[in-house]
Amino acid sequence: MKRHQRLAGAAAATVLATFGLAACGSDDADEPESSETTPAEETEETEAAPAAEGTPSWAAEPTDGGELISTIEAGDVTVEVYQMGTAPAPKDGNWVDPDTNEPLIAEGDDLVFLNYVVTNNGDPIDLGSSLVDVSARYDDWEYMQGMGGITDSALAEEMGIVTSPIDEIADPTVYTLGTGESYSFGENFHYQADSPITFDVTITPVDENGDLIHDDKIEAEGTGTVA
């Protein structure tokens, strides 16, 4: 914000100028330079808005830990993928093998838990209810359907992930991810050690009404392997 200074009257200016001339002398070189900031300098320093940091007001507190297995850059947004651990499935999964009608995840099968930490390094971006979408798929996954795991909030909490990052529902559905802000969410699926995974990241911004702006969609891809 610019500061406006009121100009003094001509007579006052003359008096000040005369006083200044009278004060000049051989000791001027020893006078310390003024550290007062000029209005122009102050304007330059305050032009850029300070960067926001932390967690968006609408989001659950992000979780951390685990082993970093992939980093995906989608425009100004970074998605870090962490392997949080493995655990046996407490029940059968919802997906079945179309040939055998047996569950793809049976009770007792090992599950791997991943955590996605999403950080905005650029200007604030307005997102819809899908936020930053991350889809994981083993490169040798033979089924058309995805790799959906087990729904168990207690087990998810135990493994250090939140399954739904939205803590406060917005109306209209506009979730602003500010500069420097982060949130996290996680998932589980069938554990296949040493199997490469491809992560597809999709970001579709929304307008002030929460309508998707498909022309501004960003897509990116990364790879990683669970240990």
Side-chain angles (χ1 to χ4, degrees), residues 8-189:
T14 303
V15 171
L16 290 174
T18 303
F19 177 81
L21 289 173
C24 292
S26 59
D27 294 332
D28 285 352
D30 298 328
E31 289 286 332
E33 293 184 2
S34 173
S35 60
E36 183 180 354
T37 304
T38 66
E41 290 172 335
E42 289 179 354
T43 301
E44 183 178 351
E45 291 177 358
T46 57
E47 278 181 348
E53 292 183 356
T55 307
S57 59
W58 48 263
E61 190 68 24
T63 60
D64 55 18
E67 178 184 354
L68 181 66
I69 64 171
S70 186
T71 300
I72 305 111
E73 302 291 345
D76 291 327
V77 174
T78 300
V79 179
E80 295 174 308
V81 184
Y82 293 87
Q83 180 177 339
M84 305 299 284
T86 60
K91 56 186 176 182
D92 291 349
N94 296 324
W95 296 106
V96 298
D97 186 316
D99 295 327
T100 65
N101 209 36
E102 294 294 323
L104 296 181
I105 296 176
E107 181 179 350
D109 286 350
D110 284 335
L111 301 173
V112 63
F113 289 76
L114 300 184
N115 194 37
Y116 306 114
V117 180
V118 179
T119 304
N120 180 20
N121 305 301
D123 294 333
I125 181 172
D126 292 335
L127 304 170
S129 57
S130 296
L131 302 179
V132 174
D133 182 70
V134 183
S135 175
R137 193 179 187 91
Y138 288 116
D139 291 354
D140 61 356
W141 189 252
E142 58 184 299
Y143 303 100
M144 291 293 294
Q145 62 262 49
M147 303 194 305
I150 300 297
T151 302
D152 190 312
S153 57
L155 182 56
E157 183 177 355
E158 180 183 333
M159 299 305 296
I161 63 173
V162 293
T163 54
S164 177
I166 297 177
D167 221 18
E168 296 182 10
I169 303 297
D171 185 18
T173 53
V174 178
Y175 299 94
T176 301
L177 185 61
T179 302
E181 290 185 336
S182 300
Y183 72 91
S184 72
F185 66 101
E187 67 172 335
N188 68 79
F189 45 76

